[in-house]
Amino acid sequence: MYEVSLTLLQKMLLSLAVGAILGLEREHSKRQTLLGIRTFALISITGTLLTELSKDFYYIASSIGLVGIFAIALFFYFFRATHLKNALGLTTVMMLPLTYVLGMLISTNYILESIAATVIIAYVLIEKSEVHHLVEMISRREIVDFLIFAVIAFVIYPLIPSSGYTFLEMKLNPQSFVLSVILISFLSFVSHVIVRVIRHNAVLYASFFGGLISSLATVMLFARDKKVTLDALKLSFTSSSAGSILRDGLLLIFINLALFQSTAFIFIIPIVAYLLLTQFYSKDLKLENFKFIYNEPISLNFVLKFAAVLFVVTAITSFIATFSPGPLFYLSMLAAGAVNSASVMASIAFLFTSGNLPKSVAINGIFLGLLGSALAKLAIASNKSQWGSSKSILLLVGLSLVFLIAGYFASLNFTI
């Protein structure tokens, strides 16, 4: 809750405004005046006043008022539906107790929350056709994947102990581990939804948001497609690399913000550079002919694979960092980055948070993880027959090294 203290008069005026906005939308959309601006404004201010009056009496009056509003709304709906031809829609009727609740929120100083709720509700009501169109676009697969995400985020995660445990002198935190899986699943779901909505420049968005999921798989799928031109393949590399590094940076922000602040330029400089290259490569391409290569928002197979890779990488790097730090640890970061850079970011963040990894070693590990990811994608792209003897692959290798090294040295000298 973000509290804002207002006087009673200010609360009453705000409550009137909130009710009037919702009433205006209903009156304008339904072309009727029976339940319009005045009705909704009065219901909202009633919720505010009854809540103010019953603050010292356990909110009994405001609770009775809410029950009464529900009863009146339902009675009004069924009466109109059975006795009159022009029955009101259920949405309009259910808006009555909702408006009353917004008035109650204003009284209890949930000011910003009530304003935000009013804006969201009004927008959803106004964009009725767009909402229905979005619902029609949703597939059974997307519903199932959303349920998978909900189970992981809201059922499994809260049940996991927040305290870590020690195994072979290594400190492990299972809750942080699952949090990484949740973040990657969320990014996967958001990427899918955005690309489903946005149709223009499909390959550009497909490769960028594909990078948020798996940049290695993105480049691999583009490289396998015989119809993909050399320029489109280069675009897939630069765009997916930008998406991949953005994902890794976001993951680090959620797990350990302090470590991200010390390594921010390792992420920022390559992202900006890759996006500029993407813009350059996309100038002469006809991007509308490509489709998004990921058909599932959250593939259970993908989630399980990522979880397995993350667990293995975390266990190996923790063991190496604890018993054999140094060149072997850096080599493992480079190799793990080639497989999945997100697992490297999460693993390093866990080790740093638990105190098993010094900051300087963590920065070096992050750099090598990103470098391994870039080299792996370039190695896959180089197998494309269209590259031939061209120098494009060497140019991208050189540019990638420049971007990452520039970010590395900037992070050593500057902290956000």
Side-chain angles (χ1 to χ4, degrees), residues 113-343:
E113 289 83 353
S114 61
I115 294 174
T118 301
V119 173
I120 293 172
I121 293 168
Y123 177 79
V124 170
L125 293 175
I126 292 171
E127 297 294 339
K128 175 183 177 182
S129 59
E130 291 296 327
V131 172
H132 287 302
H133 177 65
L134 181 62
V135 171
E136 291 173 358
M137 290 175 59
I138 297 175
S139 65
R140 180 180 178 275
R141 176 71 262 171
E142 290 166 338
I143 295 175
V144 171
D145 285 343
F146 177 77
L147 292 176
I148 291 173
F149 174 76
V151 169
I152 296 173
F154 303 112
V155 178
I156 296 177
Y157 179 71
L159 295 176
I160 297 175
S162 59
S163 58
Y165 63 92
T166 303
F167 176 73
L168 295 177
E169 299 184 17
M170 297 183 296
K171 296 179 181 179
L172 301 175
N173 191 325
Q175 193 175 66
S176 298
F177 168 77
V178 176
L179 177 62
S180 300
V181 176
I182 292 172
L183 293 173
I184 292 297
S185 301
F186 176 74
L187 289 173
S188 173
F189 187 83
V190 170
S191 302
H192 179 88
V193 171
I194 291 175
V195 176
R196 282 265 283 163
V197 174
I198 301 174
R199 297 297 181 184
H200 183 61
N201 291 348
V203 70
L204 184 61
Y205 295 109
S207 55
F208 178 79
F209 289 108
L212 286 174
I213 303 170
S214 173
S215 58
L216 191 65
T218 301
V219 174
M220 186 181 296
L221 288 170
F222 274 93
R224 287 177 178 176
D225 192 341
K226 296 180 180 180
K227 297 179 181 180
V228 175
T229 64
L230 176 60
D231 287 335
L233 185 57
K234 289 189 287 186
L235 177 106
S236 73
F237 168 77
T238 57
S239 182
S240 66
S241 295
S244 173
I245 298 175
L246 175 62
R247 173 205 63 198
D248 295 342
L250 291 173
L251 191 61
L252 196 59
I253 287 173
F254 281 104
I255 298 176
N256 194 304
L257 179 59
L259 182 57
F260 172 79
Q261 291 173 331
S262 299
T263 59
F265 288 104
I266 294 181
F267 301 95
I268 295 173
I269 291 178
I271 288 173
V272 173
Y274 279 131
L275 288 177
L276 291 174
L277 275 180
T278 300
Q279 178 65 26
F280 175 76
Y281 288 135
S282 65
K283 286 181 179 179
D284 300 323
L285 284 177
K286 294 181 180 180
L287 304 177
E288 291 77 9
N289 298 326
F290 296 89
K291 294 182 179 179
F292 189 43
I293 55 180
Y294 293 98
N295 296 320
E296 297 179 4
I298 305 176
S299 169
L300 182 59
N301 183 45
F302 164 76
V303 171
L304 293 176
K305 283 183 178 179
F306 174 79
V309 170
L310 177 58
F311 178 78
V312 171
V313 170
T314 302
I316 292 175
T317 53
S318 298
F319 181 82
I320 294 174
T322 302
F323 297 101
S324 182
L328 185 58
F329 173 77
Y330 293 136
L331 183 62
S332 68
M333 292 295 94
L334 185 67
V339 178
N340 191 308
S341 59
S343 62

Side-chain angles (χ1 to χ4, degrees), residues 371-401:
L371 179 61
S373 176
L375 294 178
K377 291 193 290 288
L378 287 167
I380 290 173
S382 65
N383 291 323
K384 180 79 172 177
S385 59
Q386 289 171 309
W387 288 96
S389 59
S390 72
K391 298 179 181 178
S392 299
I393 182 69
L394 294 177
L395 176 62
L396 283 179
V397 169
L399 289 175
S400 297
L401 287 173

